[in-house]
Amino acid sequence: MTTRYCLHYAPDNASLVIRLALEELGLPYDTLLVDRQAEAQNGAEYRALNPNGLIPVLETPDGPMFETAAILLWLADRHGAMAPPVDSDQRAGFLKWLFFASNTLHADLRMLFYPHKYIGPSLPQQQQLRKVQRKRLHVHLSNLEVAAADKPPWLSAEEPSVLDLYLACQLRWMALYPLGCDRSWMVLKQYPRLHDLCSKLELRKSVQTARIAEGLGATPFTNPTPANPPEGSAT
Ligand SMILES: N[C@@H](CCC(=O)N[C@@H](CS)C(=O)NCC(=O)O)C(=O)O
């Protein structure tokens, strides 16, 4: 029997990466909206699935999973696609950048989006943290751009890897959030190989499906506009 997954999601949240992976893998799934306006991610029901109160959660036959990269790797391994297999000579390169995307890039992005959670309520301090984070993110993207130059099959290749999806979504969020803040610092074309990856992904059916489901606009990665979802809200 084919497993039917259940994705706890909010539009344009990290759950978008998992939706894209499920679509690419052609797996059956249902979605359950996490109402961010009501802070449902902090409610007892949601914390029973993810005690950290973070979106996404994917319900699997092995129990609820959280942490975007863990879910991506699990799906790729379980379904034998979108990542180099364990015995491949490409596995090491793929894993190191996947972990980087999760524990450094995404973690740094969170500080840009939620500075109060890291440095407290002082606005000047939050501004300072954001300034530092923007510089860090530029360095990270420059390093990824260099890694992409070698054209590894798990980065910017014709067939997307779970890492490609994760990076494209993070590039989108960097260019869009936080709404109402200066975002001119992020110009994707400064990173032509990452731009190329985003352009290629935008042609995929998975992206078109997610665009409609989450109201992401015509060019969600190369020229993102704020989400206008049919249900729920991004923040
Ligand atoms: N490390 C987590 C981060 C997930 C994350 O930052 N989720 C955001 C939505 S994009 C969230 O739940 N934000 C709500 C909050 O921080 O209260 C992962 O990789 O899944």
Side-chain angles (χ1 to χ4, degrees), residues 12-232:
D12 209 11
N13 278 222
S15 44
L16 171 61
V17 190
I18 309 302
R19 183 195 288 275
L20 289 167
L22 291 165
E23 288 289 337
E24 279 290 340
L25 292 165
L27 298 170
Y29 66 100
D30 297 311
T31 54
L32 264 180
L33 181 70
V34 183
D35 183 352
R36 287 209 50 167
Q37 289 290 296
E39 291 213 30
Q41 74 272 21
N42 288 318
E45 209 178 323
Y46 190 80
R47 280 188 184 261
L49 299 168
N50 182 356
N52 307 308
L54 293 173
I55 302 161
V57 161
L58 184 72
E59 290 193 60
T60 79
D62 300 347
M65 282 198 74
F66 52 81
E67 283 302 310
T68 304
I71 301 171
L72 290 175
L73 189 55
W74 185 88
L75 281 172
D77 287 351
R78 179 64 58 114
H79 296 284
M82 301 197 76
V86 276
D87 57 353
S88 159
D89 62 359
Q90 293 298 319
R91 182 77 167 184
F94 164 78
L95 278 184
K96 71 188 179 191
W97 284 110
L98 180 67
F99 278 67
F100 173 83
S102 170
N103 69 22
T104 305
L105 190 65
H106 199 166
D108 275 340
L109 255 189
R110 281 187 50 85
M111 287 189 222
L112 189 70
F113 298 161
Y114 311 105
H116 57 285
K117 293 195 182 191
Y118 296 88
I119 203 156
S122 156
L123 290 182
Q125 286 191 3
Q126 289 182 15
Q127 283 310 91
Q128 181 58 24
L129 178 58
R130 283 199 165 118
K131 207 166 136 192
V132 172
Q133 291 311 100
R134 288 181 193 123
K135 278 202 187 125
R136 282 178 61 82
L137 290 165
H138 270 310
V139 173
H140 300 337
L141 297 185
S142 303
N143 289 338
L144 277 162
E145 181 72 10
V146 171
D150 289 340
K151 296 193 171 35
W154 36 265
L155 185 59
S156 344
E158 293 311 315
E159 285 303 311
S161 70
V162 289
L163 176 60
D164 289 328
L165 301 180
Y166 198 8
L167 292 176
C169 290
Q170 293 200 56
L171 290 164
R172 168 183 168 82
W173 301 326
M174 255 176 247
L176 262 190
Y177 298 108
L179 296 171
C181 269
D182 173 33
R183 283 169 278 123
S184 58
W185 66 277
M186 172 53 189
V187 178
L188 183 58
K189 285 200 167 149
Q190 281 180 13
Y191 307 100
R193 295 183 190 99
L194 300 180
H195 184 275
D196 186 49
L197 156 71
C198 288
S199 305
K200 276 188 201 148
L201 283 178
E202 280 175 355
L203 302 175
R204 311 274 313 172
K205 188 164 172 296
S206 63
V207 174
Q208 288 175 33
T209 305
R211 283 205 294 112
I212 293 163
E214 302 198 11
L216 303 181
T219 47
F221 303 130
T222 56
N223 189 19
T225 51
N228 182 18
E231 65 168 4

